Structures are given as C-alpha cells and as structure tokens.
Amino acid sequence: METGYKNVSLLFIVIFGIVFLGFFKTYFGLFPSFNNVTLIQHIHGLLFTTWFVLLFVQPLLIRYGKYKAHRIIGRFTYLLVPCILISIHFIAREAYLNAVAAHKLQPDILAGMYFPTYQIFDFFVLYVLAIANKHRTPYHMRYMIATSLAILGAGLRRAFAHVFGMSGAEAVLYGFLVPDLILAGLIVYDKVKGQNSRAYVIALIILAISHYSYYFLPESALWQSVAGYFVRFF
C-alpha cells in the first residue's frame, strides 16, 4: 500500500460518520422502535453499512499482508453491489409511489427521480472501474475511495438540511460541492506526492457531470421522457 494511504480506513470512518449523521433523523436515530421504517429501508441501510465496513476492512487487510482474505471479501462484493443497486431501485420505487399517493405533479415526481438514478449510475460505474483495475492497485484503491464519495452526497444533503438547517437548495449545492472538492484535494495531494491521479480525475468528471446536470436535466423533455418510461416498471 502507498505510504500516503496507509491510514485510508480513517477516511472511510469519517465518511460513514457523515452519512450516519445525515440519516440519523430519518433512520439511525429511530432505533430501536424504527417507527414507520419499511423493510426495504432496513435492507438498504444494512447493505450500505456492510459496504462501509468492507471499505474500512479491506485496506487494513492489505496493510497487514492478508491478501487472500482481501481477495475473498472482494469477490463477495460481486453479490453485495448488485443487492445495493436493487435496494436503491426499490427505495426509488417507494419514493415514487409515496409522491403519487400525495398527489404531486407528475413532472415534479419524475424530476425527483434524478437523485436515485444518478446515484445508482455513479456508484456502479466507479465500482466497475475499481474491479476492472483490481490488478492495478493504485487505480483500484482510488476508484474504491471514489465510490464512498459518490455515496457521501446523500448523507451530506440530509446533514446540511436536518442538522445545520440549510434550505433544500443550499443542502443540495453543498452536497455536490463537498465530494467534488474532496476529489479535487486528492488530485492535488497525488500531484504533490508524485502519484498518478488519473483515477481521481475520471471520478471527478463522472461526479461533476451527474451533480451539475441536476440544474438543467430533470426538468428537460429528455429526462421526463426517460424517467417516465422507467417508472412504468414501478
């Protein structure tokens, strides 16, 4: 493991802490009764918690030479990640049906589907890039770090809104900016250390396109048509 990343597990703890804070009001803080929490929300929370546990454990296994255990756990993600994606789909379905039941306007509902859609896309693409580069450790590690930043935005938006009292628009903006700025900082860090930051650059492009398309794409005829097609399967 690169010397500058020997404590990368601490980064995953911090990111999970932010996600935990963001979802404290609507999920974690409801323990033990979990009133009004559905089964799919429990499954979704368990799957993502498992993902963060693996993100924490995997670098430690590499650091202490437990390469076989690292590979076995890595193969387990071939099952875990599809389950995560399916859970996001059902969370989106639940949100859609609740919005329909609340008699919200269909264009607004379809626009709201943008968040879970881009989150599925970003997380999956970055994971695939990590697996495609599993034999190129520097790239693999950086793409795995990027998957955690793709998840971070959802927790940040809620933390900014629920904990810091920001408006919805402010919470969304800062939920986009913080992961992007972290990636930009990691690019600079690699440049200073003389490391190849290409994986971070690619990850930043992916996240930035998804993030800032939010300001024009969800209301567009293209998105409304595509989202309208997919919600038929809900």
Side-chain angles (χ1 to χ4, degrees), residues 118 152-154 156-157 160 170-179 211:
Y118 93 73
L152 176 61
L156 277 172
R157 289 195 303 273
F160 285 136
E170 289 177 317
V172 167
L173 176 60
Y174 287 111
F176 291 157
L177 283 175
V178 172
H211 289 166

Side-chain angles (χ1 to χ4, degrees), residues 29-48:
L30 301 179
F31 176 86
S33 61
F34 287 109
N35 290 330
N36 299 318
V37 175
T38 64
L39 176 61
I40 188 59
Q41 289 171 335
H42 281 304
I43 294 172
H44 182 68
L46 176 61
L47 290 171
F48 266 115

Side-chain angles (χ1 to χ4, degrees), residues 39-191:
L39 176 61
I40 188 59
Q41 289 171 335
H42 281 304
I43 294 172
H44 182 68
L46 176 61
L47 290 171
F48 266 115
T49 299
T50 302
W51 179 254
F52 274 104
V53 170
L54 296 189
L55 287 180
F56 171 76
V57 169
Q58 287 290 71
L60 294 179
L61 293 175
I62 290 294
R63 182 175 178 180
Y64 294 107
K66 306 295 184 180
Y67 303 113
K68 183 177 180 179
H70 180 90
R71 288 192 295 271
I72 292 172
I73 292 176
R75 294 189 188 104
F76 170 68
T77 67
Y78 300 163
L79 172 64
L80 177 62
V81 167
C83 289
I84 288 174
L85 299 178
I86 292 169
S87 78
I88 296 175
H89 167 82
F90 279 102
I91 288 289
R93 178 181 183 273
E94 198 170 69
Y96 173 79
L97 294 177
N98 288 339
V100 170
H103 304 293
K104 293 185 178 179
L105 296 175
Q106 185 73 354
D108 294 337
I109 297 174
L110 296 179
M113 290 295 101
Y114 182 75
F115 278 113
T117 303
Y118 93 73
Q119 288 166 351
I120 289 175
F121 176 83
D122 289 356
F123 177 77
F124 180 67
V125 169
L126 292 170
Y127 170 76
V128 168
L129 288 171
I131 296 303
N133 287 277
K134 65 183 179 181
H135 298 302
R136 303 169 71 191
T137 302
Y139 284 82
H140 176 74
M141 177 188 67
R142 285 166 174 79
Y143 282 125
M144 280 298 186
I145 291 172
T147 66
S148 71
L149 295 174
I151 299 167
L152 176 61
L156 277 172
R157 289 195 303 273
R158 290 163 176 81
F160 285 136
H162 299 158
V163 180
F164 300 103
M166 289 186 181
S167 68
E170 289 177 317
V172 167
L173 176 60
Y174 287 111
F176 291 157
L177 283 175
V178 172
D180 295 345
L181 289 174
I182 292 173
L183 273 173
L186 289 171
I187 291 170
V188 173
Y189 178 79
D190 273 355
K191 293 293 186 184

